Amino acid sequence: MAQSIDDEDLTRLRGRTVLVAGGRVSGLATVTPLQDLGARVLVTDSDAGAVANAVARGAGGVHQDELLADSAAFDDIALVVTSPGLRADSAILAAAAGRGIPIWGDVELSWRIDRAGLYGSPSKWLVVTGTNGKTTTTSMLASILDSAGIDSAACGNIGLPILDALQQDPHPAVLAVELSSFQLFWAPSVHPEAGVVLNIAEDHLDWHGGMDGYVLAKAGALTGRVAVVGLDDERAASLASTSPAERVVGFRLTEPSVGELGVVGPDLVDRAFAEHASLVPVADVHPAGPAGVMDALAAAALARAVDIAPEHIADGLRTYQVGPHRNAVVRTLGGVTFVDDSKATNPHAARSSLLAYDRVVWIAGGLLKGAAIDELVAEIAPRLTVALVIGRDGIQIAEALARHAPDVPVVTYPAGDDAGVTRVAEDADEVMQAVVLEAARRAAPGDTVLLAPAAASLDMFVDYGHRGRSFADAALALTGSDVGDRGGRA
């Protein structure tokens, strides 16, 4: 865990060197604020282009290999600010820790800069984390804050660096902050006005060294004034008893008890911040279905924690627009519906969309990141008509299908002796075109061809957005003659 430094130590950075480990979006966002604190900024990365971008912003730059080769390179460094994806045992961070140099994440730096009032009065942080639903919940919350007329910004893991948000004009009074487990791990000082843990399922276990480390990182969102937990998720609910928050609130899909939000008849209802306040009809929540309602309840709980009125919550949820690659219908052709849920980057996320359709031609695979797939496959097996698996860990999904769904035809890309071989991004669109065409040929009217990979995308694609766009482009290129020309079955 990052080492602790008193807040007043920000003033001690003047004239000192701060090493920024990682020169991508979050790393570059730290350059100007660190310079505003009077620090000398040195950015390191394994990519020469990223180092060049940092130099163009007025920072110093050094390639990671060059830095590690210089035994005296760390002598003048007062602080390391790390990009969230770097593990504590990475070469750069291990070298810094071995010399007793404090290590902060960019979110930790953001929190301390905000508390110090560098860019204005400290903002209220509303933190969203969980294995799945983070971006949807954060976006719903941002829509609610906008409907209430509050100067705010959605930032963090959702895309906009927190430090960039803090420099906006007008300065945001409230931040809707999406945080990953990596970001929380490197930000131990963050104590938000309110924070939510939506759910916890196996994900990033390789990074955290197991489930206990992953759960501990997620629990960092519950250390502020109000802690909100998803009661229908056993692991998330268990954090209620250990949270140091002044107040713990739960939400559930069924009728809420006192101190909870939930569903009563046709409405989302708050019994935590009011005796009984109807918030919005379930029918007005998008995306529809249990996952969308849960995310809406979580967003509503955070909004109620900062005294936003029910009518603004209703307006914000009604006007919220679902983001791309989240169970989005691309087209219907020949009675077959093509759905892009590329954002389903782990088995827990894929489960929600797979259970929404009765007959599924499933496109899955990528990087499982240590997550188990058997439980998901066993549960959704009756819905599958065909499975097409891609990517580095696709063979693991194919093997699980053989164990739990032996009657479901499985096609592996690449096939034969090349199965399980990583394909580089230049080949990814070509592979996706072949997969979607094969899926269309094997589909029958009434089937859903669903991209719900249950795995990360970076073995083949630039990111999950690239994967989703590739799927959509391939589906839109199909003609009527491509659908069902094998009678819908292998």
Side-chain angles (χ1 to χ4, degrees):
M1 187 62 69
Q3 301 176 43
S4 176
I5 293 182
D6 294 336
D7 285 342
E8 56 264 28
D9 276 4
L10 281 179
T11 62
R12 300 177 192 173
L13 293 178
R14 181 170 296 279
R16 307 287 298 280
T17 298
V18 176
L19 177 67
V20 177
R24 310 303 169 89
V25 175
S26 62
L28 289 178
T30 69
V31 172
T32 297
L34 286 168
Q35 291 172 333
D36 289 343
L37 289 168
R40 295 190 296 266
V41 184
L42 177 65
V43 177
T44 187
D45 199 286
S46 60
D47 178 69
V51 173
N53 289 337
V55 172
R57 292 200 177 197
V62 59
H63 193 279
Q64 177 179 296
D65 293 343
E66 181 182 345
L67 182 71
L68 290 170
D70 183 358
S71 60
F74 289 85
D75 290 350
D76 296 327
I77 293 172
L79 172 70
V80 173
V81 177
T82 179
S83 294
L86 287 181
R87 289 169 35 157
D89 61 359
S90 66
I92 290 290
L93 301 188
R99 291 165 172 79
I101 300 170
I103 302 170
W104 296 353
D106 65 292
V107 174
E108 178 81 3
L109 177 66
S110 303
W111 173 260
R112 291 172 182 265
I113 282 176
D114 186 36
R115 297 303 98 180
L118 182 63
Y119 295 117
S121 298
S123 303
K124 291 182 178 180
W125 287 37
L126 303 179
V127 168
V128 179
T129 196
T131 303
N132 301 300
K134 295 187 295 294
T135 299
T136 298
T137 301
T138 305
S139 300
M140 287 177 166
L141 177 59
S143 183
I144 292 169
L145 294 169
D146 186 61
S147 292
I150 296 173
D151 291 330
S152 60
C155 54
N157 197 55
I158 200 170
L160 177 69
I162 301 169
L163 287 167
D164 286 354
L166 290 173
Q167 296 172 71
Q168 289 182 348
D169 185 16
H171 180 71
V174 180
L175 297 178
V177 187
E178 177 187 331
L179 294 182
S180 69
S181 60
F182 307 152
Q183 290 169 314
L184 285 162
F185 176 89
W186 289 117
S189 298
V190 172
H191 300 298
E193 183 72 10
V196 62
V197 176
L198 302 168
N199 45 60
I200 300 177
E202 289 186 344
D203 200 15
H204 304 302
L205 302 190
D206 48 354
W207 198 97
H208 290 282
M211 198 66 184
D212 289 346
Y214 180 57
V215 172
L216 181 63
K218 290 295 190 186
L222 305 179
T223 59
R225 186 177 67 84
V226 178
V228 182
V229 297
L231 297 173
D232 292 339
D233 183 277
E234 183 177 352
R235 288 192 179 101
S238 71
L239 298 177
S241 61
T242 59
S243 169
E246 297 175 21
R247 184 176 186 185
V248 178
V249 172
F251 64 94
R252 63 174 76 243
L253 280 176
T254 52
E255 184 170 344
S257 300
V258 174
E260 300 174 359
L261 288 81
V263 178
V264 178
D267 296 328
L268 275 62
V269 169
D270 170 22
R271 296 195 65 198
F273 302 95
E275 183 176 344
H276 184 106
S278 294
L279 301 175
V280 66
V282 172
D284 288 349
V285 173
H286 303 284
V293 173
M294 293 286 275
D295 294 344
L297 286 165
L302 294 177
R304 295 290 283 155
V306 290
D307 301 321
I308 293 179
E311 57 266 29
H312 296 311
I313 292 172
D315 289 343
L317 291 175
R318 288 192 186 103
T319 57
Y320 167 69
Q321 298 293 316
V322 178
H325 316 302
R326 294 170 175 81
N327 208 22
V329 175
V330 173
R331 72 179 303 189
T332 299
L333 181 67
V336 176
T337 303
F338 295 80
V339 176
D340 167 17
D341 196 18
S342 183
K343 187 66 167 66
T345 57
N346 56 66
H348 188 267
R351 177 181 181 273
S352 296
S353 52
L354 284 160
L355 293 178
Y357 306 102
D358 292 330
R359 291 163 49 85
V360 177
V361 178
W362 185 26
I363 300 175
L367 297 173
L368 285 172
K369 302 169 293 183
I373 196 71
D374 285 74
E375 184 176 345
L376 171 67
V377 171
E379 182 179 9
I380 55 94
R383 298 171 182 268
L384 300 181
T385 62
V386 182
L388 302 98
V389 297
I390 62 175
R392 194 188 75 181
D393 294 336
I395 193 67
Q396 295 182 39
I397 299 175
E399 290 169 350
L401 286 158
R403 288 190 291 271
H404 303 291
D407 296 331
V408 174
V410 178
V411 184
T412 302
Y413 289 82
D417 293 338
D418 291 329
V421 176
T422 298
R423 299 294 294 267
V424 297
E426 289 78 5
D427 302 322
D429 293 328
E430 178 184 344
V431 172
M432 184 62 78
Q433 289 171 5
V435 170
V436 171
L437 178 58
E438 186 69 13
R441 288 172 173 172
R442 291 173 177 265
D447 285 355
T448 298
V449 174
L450 175 63
L451 173 68
S457 59
L458 298 180
D459 58 331
M460 291 176 61
F461 298 90
V462 175
D463 51 28
Y464 76 82
H466 174 204
R467 181 170 61 186
R469 291 189 298 273
S470 184
F471 170 83
D473 289 345
L476 292 171
L478 296 170
T479 66
S481 62
D482 294 323
V483 176
D485 69 355
R486 298 187 184 180
R489 297 294 176 267

